[in-house]
Amino acid sequence: MTEWLRSIIEEAKGINLEKFRPMDEVGPGDYVIGEASDPCKQLYALANKYNRLAAEKRGEASTTPFIESSSKQYCMEEARKMEQKAKAVMVVFQASVRHAHNLWDEIIGLRRGWVIVRIDILGVPNRANIFFDD
């Protein structure tokens, strides 16, 4: 296991799940698989934390005066790093869920109450409720 993955797992263990829980309800075209395990919940929450931090950095960059371009550039670089980390952690989360429930060929999502769902793309009105892409 890489040092990065170890550090991600350690960071995920200390995250407040309530701040980053999924909010979407189970909807049409969603087939409930079960509840996400605690380690999966932690990975999902950590990915969302990174996305929030990235958004904050982008906001900070947009309010930084033009004269401070080095500060603006720093904020944008930090935002990109956070977005890359969020994507990487989400991939690990998805792989973990797919492995645990043998959902390798399925479109999956996470809903309120940490419910894992398999999404029937044809059963989703306007295909608007997709959370994870293949």
Side-chain angles (χ1 to χ4, degrees), residues 48-104:
N48 282 286
K49 176 184 174 182
Y50 287 153
N51 279 325
R52 282 191 194 171
L53 291 172
E56 288 172 13
K57 283 295 181 186
R58 286 194 183 281
E60 193 177 321
S62 69
T63 59
T64 300
F66 181 73
I67 203 160
E68 297 177 34
S69 64
S70 63
S71 294
K72 182 175 276 204
Q73 183 177 353
Y74 172 78
C75 288
M76 293 303 290
E77 287 172 5
E78 288 299 304
R80 280 190 289 276
K81 287 178 190 176
M82 286 294 124
E83 288 165 347
Q84 288 177 339
K85 285 175 111 176
K87 286 179 186 176
V89 172
M90 192 58 77
V91 166
V92 174
F93 162 77
Q94 287 184 22
S96 297
V97 169
R98 290 175 191 283
H99 175 75
H101 300 281
N102 196 25
L103 297 169
W104 291 103

Side-chain angles (χ1 to χ4, degrees), residues 7 20-21 42 47 61 75 77-78 113 117 129:
S7 69
F20 303 100
R21 68 184 187 277
Q42 293 163 347
C75 288
E77 287 172 5
E78 288 299 304
V117 296
N129 288 333

Side-chain angles (χ1 to χ4, degrees), residues 97-133:
V97 169
R98 290 175 191 283
H99 175 75
H101 300 281
N102 196 25
L103 297 169
W104 291 103
D105 293 330
E106 305 289 344
I107 299 171
I108 60 173
L110 195 61
R111 303 291 187 252
R112 184 182 300 265
W114 301 101
V115 174
I116 299 166
V117 296
R118 179 182 58 80
I119 302 170
D120 176 9
I121 189 70
L122 300 175
V124 179
N126 298 324
R127 295 173 173 84
N129 288 333
I130 297 174
F131 186 81
F132 301 117
D133 292 327

